[in-house]
Amino acid sequence: GSADYMAPEQRENAAAVDHRADIYALGVILYQILTGHLPVGTFTPASKLNPSVPSAVDRVIREAGLDKHQIMAVAVSEGPGAFTGLRVGVACAKTLAFALGWKCAGVPSLEVKAQNVDQAECGCRFTCPVMDARRGRVCGAVYRWQDGWQDVTGVLCVEPQRLARRIPEGTLIFGDGIRAYPEVFRAERFHIGAEELQIGRAPHVARLGLERIKAGRDLDPVALVPRYYRLTYPEEALLQESEGKG
């Protein structure tokens, strides 16, 4: 690509870069879209060049009955999820944090989905969102109710059978990973939740992000990156080829 959109490390050695170079390029593109200028050297924050930046965010803020200057932070689902969606979402959050001086926080996507479960209604002690990660794997995390859903296992990206063994019997499970492997996630052992529970909700992202920021767990925008929890198909193929040659 054009040198103006390349991360510094990409200019030095294009073979050694990872997904962060894509995020850098997206950030440059977003800055250029918002201001009409490229962010070269020590560049001016986008909000200084364009007081109305960004219009989409301004529209959401207006609908919420707020003024842009009342907003001090941005939160984003950091993964697991679709690779492209995570890259774009995180790049937008990073750009907003850089341009407007906001704090930022990344929230695990599975934790966001767990908030959809009404513990009082289901009466369950545990819940586990299960996402189909393709190519014989699922992503999941077990949450236990303790004045809120608390992460027990962390994000696991493993074969369906391995995840099923980590989930306590009677847990409320939900997500497209359940539909992909019904022979593993059986109703005789688990409670199967409604399909709509798998949809991540923006209010949950905002609340969980605010909790992290209040606890001092906000991130420098540079440190905010998407978390895929597994290699892409080309990366897996390259690794297998390399192992085969070794």
Side-chain angles (χ1 to χ4, degrees):
S2 170
D4 289 329
Y5 301 90
M6 294 172 64
E9 63 271 22
Q10 188 174 8
R11 300 183 192 187
E12 295 179 4
N13 184 1
V17 301
D18 57 20
H19 65 271
R20 288 171 290 187
D22 293 330
I23 296 171
Y24 181 97
L26 281 170
V28 173
I29 292 169
L30 285 170
Y31 184 93
Q32 186 176 29
I33 290 172
L34 296 172
T35 67
H37 302 278
L38 285 168
V40 179
T42 303
F43 56 89
T44 305
S47 58
K48 299 292 185 182
L49 297 175
N50 182 356
S52 65
V53 56
S55 59
V57 174
D58 284 341
R59 185 176 66 252
V60 172
I61 291 172
R62 283 198 304 272
E63 291 175 357
L66 298 171
D67 179 86
K68 184 162 59 181
H69 300 290
Q70 293 177 274
I71 308 297
M72 300 179 64
V74 58
V76 64
S77 289
E78 63 183 13
F83 290 170
T84 301
L86 292 176
R87 287 180 180 178
V88 172
V90 169
C92 287
K94 289 166 74 80
T95 302
L96 288 169
F98 273 126
L100 302 176
W102 291 351
K103 293 183 177 182
C104 64
V107 181
S109 303
L110 296 177
E111 185 176 355
V112 173
K113 295 180 180 184
Q115 309 310 305
N116 291 332
V117 178
D118 186 332
Q119 194 275 337
E121 182 178 312
C122 73
C124 52
R125 290 186 58 217
F126 296 92
T127 189
C128 179
V130 181
M131 187 187 81
D132 183 8
R134 313 292 180 184
R135 302 194 295 280
R137 294 198 174 200
V138 293
C139 287
V142 178
Y143 296 87
R144 178 177 58 224
W145 182 262
Q146 189 174 357
D147 295 325
W149 292 114
Q150 308 297 323
D151 191 345
V152 175
T153 61
V155 176
L156 304 170
C157 190
V158 295
E159 295 80 5
Q161 295 82 358
R162 288 184 59 188
L163 179 62
R165 289 195 292 269
R166 297 290 300 273
I167 304 174
E169 190 168 339
T171 294
L172 177 71
I173 60 176
F174 61 91
D176 58 3
I178 308 301
R179 297 194 304 276
Y181 301 97
E183 72 284 359
V184 176
F185 302 102
R186 303 188 310 276
E188 307 91 77
R189 185 176 171 208
F190 306 112
H191 297 298
I192 310 299
E195 288 189 16
E196 57 264 26
L197 291 176
Q198 69 180 327
I199 301 173
R201 310 285 181 184
H204 297 323
V205 178
R207 179 177 58 80
L208 293 170
L210 182 60
E211 289 175 358
R212 281 165 167 74
I213 290 169
K214 286 184 174 179
R217 295 165 58 194
D218 54 298
L219 300 172
D220 184 300
V222 174
L224 180 63
V225 295
R227 300 185 182 278
Y228 304 124
Y229 293 96
R230 69 164 304 167
L231 299 176
T232 64
Y233 178 74
E235 288 171 332
E236 286 187 349
L238 184 62
L239 180 62
Q240 291 173 0
E241 180 182 345
S242 175
E243 290 176 345
K245 290 180 179 179

